C-alpha cells in the first residue's frame, strides 16, 4: 500500500491513493524536479541520488504518469494503424513490420480495423484514434479508394498511406509491384516459354492491378501473345480453381501467380491433373512467404521486403510528427525494391510444348 514519508498511507474518502511525485521526493529527501529527471531517464543526477530516488519509488510503489507527461509535451509516442482486413498475408505482415519498427523507435501502435471501405468508416476510425491520443496514423488502403477520390483523409493529420496510388496528395510507401511482376514474367520468358499466363488477385486491389499491368506490358514489349486473364481472391482455394482451368490449356507452360497462397493452389491443381511442375508447367508466385521454400516443389517467387516497408512507413510518419509547424509536408511515393527468388518450380519448357496463341475466353472473376 502506498505510504507517505512518515509511513502513513495516503487516503482519500477512505481509499488508498497512489503515491505522488511529491511523496517520493519527501521520502528520498530530494526535490520533485530531481524525481522527475530520474523518472524520465534524464542525465544530470548523481548516482547515489538516483539510487535514493529509485529506492523510494520502489518502497512507495510509485509509477510515473506517462499519460500526463505526454499530454504536457503534446506527444504520446503512439502510432495508429487503420486497415480494412488482416486476412491477407501482405496486410498482416505489413502490420507486424510496422509494429516491430515502431517498438524499436520506442513507439506503441494502436490497430483500428475498418469494417467497410467507406468515407464514413474511415473518418470514424480517424476520430477514434484521435480520441486515443496517437501522434500519427498509417493507413493500409489496399483497395482503389484514394486514387479514385472515393475517400479523402482528414486534413492536418500526420498520415502515411501504404499500398496506394495517391502520392500526389499523401506520403505513400509501397512495394515496387510493377518491378516484381516484370521480373517474374521476364524470368519465365528467359527460360524459353512462348508466353506467360497470369492469375491475378481481386480487381479492386491496387497491388493486384499493378502486377497485372506489368505482366501485360512485359509480354507486349517482348512481342508475345497475352493470354486471357484469370482471377482469384488471394486464397489457395481460388488458385486451385484457376489452376484446374489452366491445366486443361495445352499451350500453358508458364504461370505467374499474383501471390504465393494462390500459387500453392495452382501446384495442387497441376499435380491432380498430372501436369508436372516444372517439367511441363513452370509456376512463379509473389510475396516469398516463409513457407514458400517448403512447397512441393519449392516455389520460385518475388520477394517483398515487409520489414523495409514497415521501417519506411514509421520513418515517414515520424518525420511528419517532428517537422516544425508551417513547414510544407512531403508528398510522393517511396517504392521498396523487390527481387526474384529462383527455386525449383521453374524450368525451360518441354521440347514438345506447342507455341500456340492462347484461346480467347472471358476473364474469370
Amino acid at each position: 500500500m502506498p505510504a507517505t514519508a512518515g509511513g502513513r498511507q495516503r487516503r482519500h474518502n477512505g481509499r488508498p491513493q497512489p503515491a505522488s511525485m511529491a511523496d517520493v521526493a519527501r521520502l528520498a529527501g530530494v526535490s520533485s524536479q530531481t524525481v522527475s529527471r530520474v523518472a524520465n531517464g534524464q542525465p544530470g543526477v548523481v548516482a547515489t541520488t538516483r539510487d535514493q530516488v529509485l529506492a523510494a519509488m520502489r518502497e512507495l510503489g510509485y509509477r510515473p504518469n506517462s499519460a500526463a507527461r505526454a499530454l504536457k509535451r503534446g506527444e504520446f509516442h503512439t502510432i495508429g494503424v487503420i486497415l480494412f482486413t488482416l486476412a491477407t498475408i501482405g496486410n498482416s505482415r505489413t502490420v507486424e513490420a510496422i509494429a516491430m519498427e515502431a517498438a524499436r523507435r520506442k513507439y506503441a501502435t494502436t490497430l483500428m480495423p475498418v469494417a467497410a471501405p467507406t468515407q464514413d468508416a474511415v473518418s470514424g476510425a480517424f476520430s477514434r484514434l484521435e480520441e486515443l491520443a496517437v501522434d500519427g496514423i498509417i493507413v493500409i488502403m489496399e483497395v482503389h479508394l484514394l486514387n479514385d477520390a472515393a475517400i479523402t483523409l482528414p486534413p492536418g493529420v500526420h498520415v502515411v498511406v501504404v499500398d496506394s496510388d495517391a502520392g500526389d496528395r499523401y506520403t505513400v510507401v509501397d512495394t515496387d509491384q510493377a518491378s516484381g511482376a516484370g521480373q517474374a514474367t521476364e524470368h519465365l520468358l528467359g527460360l524459353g516459354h512462348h508466353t506467360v499466363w497470369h492469375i491475378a488477385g481481386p480487381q479492386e486491389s491496387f497491388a493486384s492491378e499493378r502486377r497485372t499491368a506489368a505482366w501485360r506490358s512485359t509480354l507486349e514489349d517482348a512481342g508475345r501473345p497475352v493470354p486471357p486473364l484469370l482471377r482469384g481472391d488471394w486464397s489457395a482455394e481460388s488458385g486451385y480453381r484457376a489452376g484446374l482451368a489452366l491445366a486443361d490449356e495445352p499451350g500453358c507452360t508458364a504461370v505467374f501467380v499474383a501471390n504465393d497462397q494462390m500459387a500453392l493452389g495452382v501446384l495442387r491443381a497441376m499435380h491432380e491433373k498430372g501436369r508436372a511442375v516444372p517439367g511441363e508447367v513452370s509456376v512463379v508466385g509473389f510475396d516469398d512467404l516463409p513457407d514458400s521454400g517448403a512447397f512441393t516443389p519449392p516455389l520460385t517467387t518475388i520477394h517483398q521486403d515487409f520489414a523495409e516497408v514497415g521501417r519506411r512507413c514509421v520513418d515517414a510518419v515520424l518525420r511528419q510528427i517532428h517537422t516544425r509547424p508551417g513547414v510544407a509536408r512531403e508528398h510522393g511515393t517511396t517504392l521498396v525494391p523487390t527481387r526474384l527468388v529462383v527455386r525449383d518450380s521453374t524450368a525451360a519448357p518441354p521440347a514438345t510444348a506447342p507455341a500456340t496463341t492462347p484461346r480467347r475466353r472471358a476473364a474469370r472473376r
Side-chain angles (χ1 to χ4, degrees), residues 12-249:
H12 178 71
N13 293 332
R15 295 181 180 180
Q17 295 297 298
S20 68
M21 187 177 292
D23 294 332
V24 175
R26 281 193 295 271
L27 183 58
V30 298
S31 68
S32 293
Q33 287 181 328
T34 299
V35 175
S36 176
R37 285 198 293 270
V38 173
N40 288 289
Q42 296 175 351
V45 181
V46 298
T48 54
T49 302
R50 185 181 300 276
D51 290 343
Q52 284 179 243
V53 172
L54 292 174
M57 287 179 175
R58 287 192 295 270
E59 181 176 338
L60 297 177
Y62 172 77
R63 291 188 177 184
N65 189 336
S66 57
R69 294 203 312 270
L71 189 62
K72 184 177 180 180
R73 294 194 309 265
E75 186 174 339
F76 299 90
H77 274 249
T78 301
I79 297 171
V81 179
I82 296 174
L83 79 166
F84 298 126
T85 179
L86 270 171
T88 63
I89 294 294
N91 278 7
S92 61
R93 294 192 67 189
T94 300
V95 169
E96 178 187 29
I98 289 170
M100 293 295 291
E101 178 62 18
R104 191 185 71 81
R105 305 282 287 268
K106 303 191 184 308
Y107 275 73
T109 49
T110 299
L111 185 62
M112 186 63 65
V114 176
T118 65
Q119 180 67 64
D120 287 346
V122 171
S123 297
F126 269 88
S127 296
R128 290 193 296 276
L129 283 175
E130 288 179 335
E131 290 171 0
L132 293 171
V134 301
D135 300 306
I137 297 174
I138 297 172
V139 186
I140 304 175
M141 293 300 289
E142 186 181 13
V143 294
H144 288 278
L145 293 173
L146 289 180
N147 37 315
D148 292 339
I151 285 181
T152 57
L153 304 182
V157 179
H158 303 306
V159 62
V160 171
V161 183
V162 185
D163 202 1
S164 176
D165 195 19
D168 57 335
R169 289 178 292 149
Y170 305 104
T171 300
V172 175
V173 177
D174 191 21
T175 294
D176 194 340
Q177 314 286 351
S179 173
Q183 291 176 66
T185 308
E186 289 170 354
H187 169 67
L188 292 166
L189 294 179
L191 291 172
H193 294 275
H194 179 61
T195 190
V196 178
W197 294 70
H198 182 45
I199 302 173
Q203 190 170 18
E204 63 271 15
S205 165
F206 170 78
S208 170
E209 292 305 278
R210 272 291 169 91
R211 294 169 197 178
T212 297
W215 158 77
R216 181 178 288 110
S217 64
T218 301
L219 290 179
E220 290 173 346
D221 290 346
R224 305 299 178 87
V226 179
L229 181 68
L230 289 83
R231 284 197 185 276
D233 60 9
W234 299 127
S235 70
E237 179 61 29
S238 69
Y240 171 70
R241 293 193 298 269
L244 290 175
L246 287 182
D248 292 332
E249 291 283 350

